[in-house]
Every structure is written in C-alpha cells, then in structure tokens.
C-alpha cells in the first residue's frame, strides 16, 4: 500500500510547477504569430496500447479523446483549421478485427459530432477528405451527415483525412482535370497550381503552416503531399495518446521562432 502511495508523490510534487510552466508557455505563444492551419499525423496509438498490454482499439479510443483535447487547444489559441490523418488507404491492409473496430469508432464519433454542443456553439465545420467510397456504407453516411450538419459553419474547420492518400488525392484531381478538359470546360493552358488546388478533396484549403507527427517516426507517410510544400515539420517522440498541451505549445513556440521564406 505504501509503495503505491509513494508512486504518486512525484506527480503530486511536480504538477504545480508543470501547470505554471504550461501557463507561462501559453501566454508567450499567445503573444506571437499564431498559425492558421495545423495538420497532425496521429501516430503511436497501437504502440501505446501495446505498451499497456491492451488491444489496438484501446489505443485508438484514447487517441480519439486526445483529438478532442487538441480541438480545445486550437480554439484557445484561435487556430482556425485543424487537419488530422485518421486512416490511410494503406491502413485497410491491417487485420479485419482492427479495421472493423476503427470503422465502428469512426461511425460513433461522427454521430457524436452531430450533438456535440461545442461544434455548434463555436461554429466548427467538419470535412472528410479521402476516397469515401472505400468506407463501409454506415461510416460513409455518418461522415456525410456530419459534413451536412456543419456545412454552414465557418469559424473553425476540422478536416479528417479518412481512407486518404496524398498520391491518391493528386491522381483523382488529375482525372477530374482531364475529364473537364476533354469536355471543354477548361483549356490545357488554364492548368496551374491554383487550378489544381480547386480539384483537391477540399478545394482551396489553406496550406498547413505546421505539420506535427507524433510517435517518433520521421516521415510524411503520404499525407497532404501537395499542400505541405512549405509547411514547417515537427516530429515528436511521444505516442499520440500521451501528447500533452505543453508539447503542443512548445511546437507553436518553435514555429514562431522560425523564418518562413517560401523559397525567397
């Protein structure tokens, strides 16, 4: 019993100092340049669950709860757009048990968005980016209902990349451009970078200022390949369910120190 009590002592001792540092960072960040668009590769859910000797769905559940926290952090800093990588086209290759558990979680979360008072109070628009035709019908319908219910909102935007691949997005855009060119709606000389953006899954979405990947891996994994040409990249070692507000604030603070030249 005594050993269990003592195991909590460091947390009790250091929490006030942690809270003070978080408040200090928050004020410093608020006084600097705030990114308009943050994108996150939410990596490490399964490894976090494995560390706790739990099944993969356990990590994905806690990852979904972490996303809700991050939405609050973004709102607190007035970050207008958040894009998260939830499920790639390659993720369909995982075991049927894990894919089915994830699809059930996606359906549940989309339905929760419909009645979440924060979504309607703060005007959060939900967009689902990806090949939605690959999703089970129940998930696709829940996603489309969440999009319809929030389409009128414009204060904040939550983009969920689901059944998504950066190369697939570019390929699908090229197909649509070729089709419209063959049908005479556009001319070859009309095709430039801005026109291509009109054909992406979310037309004319602002490019991310920051891309964060949790979980310790340092690669993009086919995420927003067209949009992140000049984004600032940050890789952190913590698994996504363990990602803390202080980690988020440190990244924003580091972003504020960088000079974005855009090739100039």
């Amino acid at each position: 019993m005594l050993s269990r009590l003592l195991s909590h002592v460091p947390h009790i001792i250091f929490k006030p100092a942690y809270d003070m540092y978080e408040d200090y960072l928050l004020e410093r960040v608020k006084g600097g340049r705030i990114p308009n668009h943050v994108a996150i590769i939410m990596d490490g859910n399964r490894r976090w669950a494995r560390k706790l000797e739990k099944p993969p769905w356990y990590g994905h559940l806690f990852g979904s709860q972490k996303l809700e926290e991050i939405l609050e952090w973004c709102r607190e800093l007035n970050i207008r757009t958040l894009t998260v990588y939830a499920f790639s086209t390659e993720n369909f290759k995982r075991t049927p048990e894990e894919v089915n558990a994830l699809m059930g979680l996606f359906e549940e979360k989309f339905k929760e968005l419909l009645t979440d008072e924060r979504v309607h109070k703060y005007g959060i628009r939900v967009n689902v980016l990806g090949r939605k035709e690959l999703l089970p019908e129940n998930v696709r319908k829940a996603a489309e209902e969440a999009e319809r219910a929030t389409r009128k909102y414009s204060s904040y935007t939550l983009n969920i990349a689901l059944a998504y691949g950066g190369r697939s997005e570019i390929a699908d855009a090229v197909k649509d451009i070729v089709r419209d060119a063959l049908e005479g709606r556009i001319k070859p000389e009309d095709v430039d970078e801005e026109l291509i953006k009109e054909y992406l899954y979310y037309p004319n979405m602002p490019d991310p200022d920051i891309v964060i990947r949790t979980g310790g891996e340092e690669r993009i994994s086919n995420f927003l390949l067209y949009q992140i040409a000049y984004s600032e990249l940050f890789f952190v070692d913590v698994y996504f369910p363990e990602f803390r507000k202080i980690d988020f604030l440190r990244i924003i603070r580091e972003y504020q120190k960088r000079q974005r030249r855009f090739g100039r």
Side-chain angles (χ1 to χ4, degrees), residues 30-224:
K30 283 184 173 180
R33 184 176 79 254
I34 300 297
N36 179 57
H37 184 180
V38 171
I40 302 179
I41 301 172
M42 305 183 294
D43 192 23
N45 290 335
R46 295 193 300 171
R47 283 174 286 159
W48 178 78
R50 192 180 305 127
K51 183 178 71 171
L52 299 177
E53 299 182 344
K54 300 289 186 179
W57 66 262
Y58 187 83
H60 296 309
L61 175 61
F62 276 82
S64 69
Q65 294 172 359
K66 179 59 62 175
L67 174 56
E68 293 181 21
E69 292 182 44
I70 293 173
L71 273 169
E72 288 295 315
W73 304 342
C74 287
R75 189 183 61 78
E76 188 175 16
L77 291 172
N78 204 31
I79 295 170
R80 295 290 181 166
T81 302
L82 175 65
T83 300
V84 295
Y85 204 2
F87 192 87
S88 73
T89 49
E90 293 80 12
N91 289 156
F92 282 108
K93 299 175 184 177
R94 293 180 178 178
T95 66
E97 293 78 13
E98 182 177 354
V99 172
N100 290 337
L102 269 168
M103 292 301 153
L105 181 61
F106 292 143
E107 182 185 15
E108 176 186 333
K109 292 300 177 181
F110 282 128
K111 289 180 176 179
E112 287 179 5
L113 284 171
L114 296 174
T115 56
D116 190 325
E117 63 180 18
R118 295 169 298 180
V119 170
H120 305 288
K121 178 179 179 180
Y122 299 116
I124 302 172
R125 176 173 176 171
V126 177
N127 298 307
V128 180
L129 317 182
R131 290 180 167 174
K132 285 183 276 190
E133 69 274 11
L134 299 179
L135 298 171
E137 184 178 7
N138 59 317
V139 179
R140 178 174 51 79
K141 286 184 176 180
E144 291 173 348
E145 181 59 29
E147 289 181 307
R148 280 193 296 270
T150 62
R151 189 171 294 154
K152 61 189 176 188
Y153 298 140
S154 59
S155 297
Y156 299 93
T157 301
L158 171 62
N159 300 313
I160 302 171
L162 188 60
Y164 175 88
R167 289 181 174 179
S168 299
E169 180 175 29
I170 294 169
D172 289 346
V174 171
K175 290 176 187 175
D176 291 341
I177 290 171
V178 171
R179 180 202 62 220
D180 284 353
L182 290 173
E183 294 177 0
R185 284 193 284 269
I186 59 174
K187 300 175 182 178
E189 56 267 27
D190 294 333
V191 180
D192 57 15
E193 293 179 14
E194 293 307 310
L195 183 133
I196 291 172
K197 290 180 72 171
E198 294 178 15
Y199 283 83
L200 297 176
Y201 290 144
Y202 180 14
N204 299 315
M205 178 177 75
D207 292 341
D209 301 297
I210 292 173
V211 177
I212 301 168
R213 180 171 187 150
T214 60
E217 305 290 351
E218 297 187 5
R219 55 179 177 269
I220 297 303
S221 294
N222 204 17
F223 183 49
L224 300 179

Side-chain angles (χ1 to χ4, degrees), residues 241-252:
E242 296 175 328
F243 188 58
R244 305 168 300 171
K245 186 176 182 179
I246 201 168
D247 300 317
F248 188 69
L249 292 172
R250 282 172 172 165
I251 288 170
I252 305 299

Side-chain angles (χ1 to χ4, degrees), residues 5-19:
L5 289 173
L6 289 175
S7 68
H8 295 287
V9 169
H11 175 74
I12 295 170
I13 292 174
F14 290 116
K15 189 176 187 307
Y18 177 92
D19 291 343

